Amino acid sequence: MDYLNIDHLKRIATWRKIVGAASIIMGAISIVLTLTVDPSMILSGIISIITGYLFYQTGVEASNIIASDDFTAGNVNELLNKYGKLLLIMGILTIISLVVLIPLIIVLISL
């Protein structure tokens, strides 16, 4: 795959790891804070940790491709598989958020 740009992979590897680690840390902090204030909000911290882990895994996979110098379809497909899972989970969470928030906004406006 001579047309694969290494600079793009490096950017994916770096930023996905940074964003993933930050999301995991923020999720852990959120869980600790919600346990002391409102335990019913613990779900947001768990979601943040899960998405952070998936972000981090896509960064690790990109790093593995760069380190191995093996740009075969199998390695790239593994990166795309992890990224696809991340997008699927983020999409499902977005839809759930809209389904919950839209009726809430309608109720608040009607008050």
Side-chain angles (χ1 to χ4, degrees):
M1 296 175 85
D2 295 330
Y3 54 86
L4 191 61
N5 191 334
I6 299 298
D7 292 332
H8 296 310
L9 280 176
K10 287 180 182 177
R11 187 177 317 127
I12 289 170
T14 302
W15 284 104
R16 295 291 185 202
K17 287 180 188 175
I18 291 170
V19 170
S23 182
I24 291 169
I25 291 168
M26 290 302 296
I29 291 170
S30 175
I31 288 173
V32 170
L33 291 177
T34 57
L35 285 176
T36 59
V37 177
D38 185 12
S40 66
M41 298 299 291
I42 197 168
L43 186 61
S44 65
I46 292 171
I47 290 170
S48 181
I49 289 172
I50 291 170
T51 56
Y53 175 75
L54 291 171
F55 270 119
Y56 189 81
Q57 285 300 309
T58 58
V60 167
E61 196 59 45
S63 293
N64 291 343
I65 293 170
I66 294 168
S68 70
D69 288 331
D70 184 10
F71 303 118
T72 60
N75 286 342
V76 175
N77 280 334
E78 187 61 31
L79 171 66
L80 294 174
N81 179 37
K82 290 182 190 252
Y83 187 64
K85 286 180 185 175
L86 172 67
L87 290 176
L88 175 67
I89 289 175
M90 299 277 299
I92 290 169
L93 293 174
T94 301
I95 291 168
I96 291 170
S97 296
L98 287 173
V99 167
V100 170
L101 285 178
I102 291 173
L104 181 63
I105 291 170
I106 292 170
V107 168
L108 290 176
I109 291 173
S110 67
L111 291 177

